[in-house]
Amino acid sequence: DQQVKQNSPSLSVQEGRISILNCDYTNSMFDYFLWYKKYPAEGPTFLISISSIKDKNEDGRFTVFLNKSAKHLSLHIVPSQPGDSAVYFCAARVRAGTASKLTFGTGTRLQVTL
Amino acid sequence: GAGVSQSPSNKVTEKGKDVELRCDPISGHTALYWYRQSLGQGLEFLIYFQGNSAPDKSGLPSDRFSAERTGGSVSTLTIQRTQQEDSAVYLCASSRQPNQPQHFGDGTRLSIL
C-alpha cells in the first residue's frame, strides 16, 4: 500500500517558468513532510520541509504548500533553472516521538529545458 | 569527510553469496538509517539506529537481512544468501537528532547475477 504517492513520473518545464511537483498521502498520522532532490548516481539531497501545523514554507526559489484536508502537498520552484533537472522525492514522517523513518513517494523526474 | 560515506559504490555478486555494505555517517549524528531503492520504486525503509537504543528493524524484508552499528558510528548491512530480487541501490542516511532532516550517502548499487 503506497502511503505517499507521486502520480506524475515526469515533468518538463521551460527555464524561467514555474515547476509544480505534486504529492498525495493517505496516512493521517504523518506530521512532517520533506522534499528531496536526487541527481543520477548520487544520494538524495534534502531540499525543504514543512510541519503539519503550517500550510506554507518558503526557502528562496522553493516553496512547499500543504493542504491537510486534501492530504496533498506540492513543491513550487520559481523560476526554474536547468540545474533543477533531477528526480524529486516527496517523503513523510509519522508523529514525533515514534521512529523517524521516512516514507517516500516514487519520485517525479523534472526536466528544465532551455 | 563532510558527508555520509558508503562503500563499496558498486557490488556485483552471484546469487547465494553473502554481501556486506558499509556506511560511515556524518560525525556527531546520532541517528542512522538504511533504505533501498529498487528499479522504478521509491526509497524503502529498512532499519533505523538511534544512539544505544534497540534498532527499529521493522523494514527488513527477510531474516537474510541484518545490520549492526558498532560504537554508535559505522554501520554494516549484511545480506545472506543473496537473491536476484535483492538487486537495488542501498542508501544510508544519518541525522544529528531523530527528528531532523536526514542526509544521504551516494548509495551502494548491488547487482545479483
Side-chain angles (χ1 to χ4, degrees):
Chain A
D1 176 33
Q2 195 75 21
Q3 297 186 53
V4 177
K5 300 178 184 178
Q6 293 177 258
N7 293 318
S8 298
S10 63
L11 175 67
S12 182
V13 172
Q14 267 192 325
E15 181 181 11
R17 303 271 191 165
I18 184 171
S19 296
I20 301 177
L21 297 103
N22 293 303
C23 178
D24 297 290
Y25 63 95
T26 57
N27 189 343
S28 57
M29 296 295 286
F30 288 144
D31 74 332
Y32 192 69
F33 304 88
L34 307 90
W35 285 94
Y36 281 82
K37 173 180 176 180
K38 186 180 183 303
Y39 293 117
E42 293 183 11
T45 302
F46 170 70
L47 201 55
I48 192 169
S49 62
I50 187 167
S51 166
S52 60
I53 63 174
K54 295 186 175 181
D55 55 17
K56 176 182 174 181
N57 187 26
E58 189 172 353
D59 183 2
R61 296 187 297 114
F62 302 91
T63 303
V64 56
F65 296 92
L66 175 63
N67 182 334
K68 283 181 62 179
S69 61
K71 293 192 176 66
H72 176 85
L73 66 155
S74 61
L75 174 67
H76 292 209
I77 307 172
V78 56
S80 301
Q81 298 174 354
D84 296 330
S85 298
V87 177
Y88 289 78
F89 289 97
C90 171
R93 193 190 69 203
V94 296
R95 297 192 193 284
T98 64
S100 295
K101 59 189 178 186
L102 296 176
T103 301
F104 284 84
T106 52
T108 296
R109 182 177 302 278
L110 173 64
Q111 180 73 40
V112 179
T113 59
L114 296 173
Chain B
V4 176
S5 177
Q6 292 188 244
S7 61
S9 54
N10 284 281
K11 177 72 177 177
V12 181
T13 193
E14 293 179 346
K15 176 182 170 181
K17 300 282 189 184
D18 297 353
V19 295
E20 198 170 274
L21 313 179
R22 176 187 169 104
C23 172
D24 265 293
I26 294 172
S27 179
H29 281 198
T30 63
L32 186 148
Y33 314 78
W34 283 97
Y35 295 85
R36 74 175 176 183
Q37 184 181 17
S38 303
L39 193 62
Q41 302 296 313
L43 281 74
E44 173 192 4
F45 167 78
L46 296 177
I47 187 168
Y48 157 62
F49 295 90
Q50 170 55 39
N52 296 321
S53 302
D56 175 356
K57 304 179 182 180
S58 60
L60 294 179
S62 78
D63 59 9
R64 296 185 295 104
F65 288 71
S66 63
E68 62 178 24
R69 188 180 185 192
T70 54
S73 182
V74 172
S75 177
T76 54
L77 176 69
T78 302
I79 309 173
Q80 295 178 308
R81 304 181 302 280
T82 52
Q83 303 294 313
Q84 287 188 330
E85 62 264 26
D86 300 335
S87 296
V89 176
Y90 288 80
L91 289 152
C92 177
S94 70
S95 62
R96 185 170 298 280
Q97 293 294 334
N99 293 330
Q100 293 182 336
Q102 297 170 23
H103 300 268
F104 283 81
D106 289 340
T108 294
R109 181 174 296 278
L110 177 65
S111 301
I112 310 299
L113 303 178

